[in-house]
Amino acid sequence: NLNLLGLREPQLYGTTTLAQIQEDTERLAAELDLACDFRQTNHEGVLVDLIQEAREKNAGIVINAGAYTHTSVAILDALNAAELPVVATRLTGIPEIVRPGETGLLFEMEDVDGLRAAIEQIQAQPQQAAAWARQGRRLVEAEFDQRHNVARLLSLVVETTHIPQSQQFMGA
């Protein structure tokens, strides 16, 4: 739904349109002497494909995955596999994954100067950016592993429903 930015719920998402964001992003990339491959899709699988494509041809990823940051294990896994520095907006659930100065950098929605500062920091510190990518991978493996999450969910179900030990779930 990012194609509806500036139109949809401007009190939450601001009045800047996606076209304006693209213009600002492309202008910023030109000022920083960087190539900009600006894409938008409403389809999760396409976004996964774009992230995988970036692994082969880009030095980093700037992303606003919208609601997918709350629900998509596939996008989380693709970002993990990309092993690239990630800069993301604070607008969505991505702060759970991109922790400033630990696994990447965040900037506020509509803050072109914040995006510039994040990109410049990655350019100035490529070893640090690579370390953030590695730490992001470790974070995903530790906190977002499917088996770990299922075990936590089952534990929560048992705890909140007070199921007797003899009737608890069996894991595969």
Side-chain angles (χ1 to χ4, degrees), residues 38-111:
F38 192 99
R39 312 271 191 103
Q40 189 278 330
T41 181
N42 291 324
H43 303 280
E44 179 181 30
V46 173
L47 187 52
V48 168
D49 291 342
L50 293 173
I51 293 167
Q52 290 175 353
E53 183 183 316
R55 176 189 168 122
E56 300 301 320
K57 68 176 201 172
N58 297 100
I61 297 173
V62 177
I63 189 169
N64 181 340
Y68 287 130
T69 59
H70 302 287
T71 61
S72 178
V73 173
I75 290 172
L76 182 62
D77 192 45
L79 287 169
N80 183 30
E83 298 180 336
L84 294 171
V86 175
V87 177
T89 62
R90 292 182 188 274
L91 182 63
T92 59
I94 202 100
E96 296 171 0
I97 304 160
V98 180
R99 296 177 180 171
E102 182 182 336
T103 63
L105 297 169
L106 296 173
F107 67 99
E108 298 296 335
M109 184 73 173
E110 300 184 6
D111 181 5

Side-chain angles (χ1 to χ4, degrees), residues 106-127:
L106 296 173
F107 67 99
E108 298 296 335
M109 184 73 173
E110 300 184 6
D111 181 5
V112 177
D113 291 333
L115 175 58
R116 172 193 299 274
I119 292 172
E120 287 175 338
Q121 186 172 353
I122 287 172
Q123 283 182 308
Q125 301 173 329
Q127 287 88 5

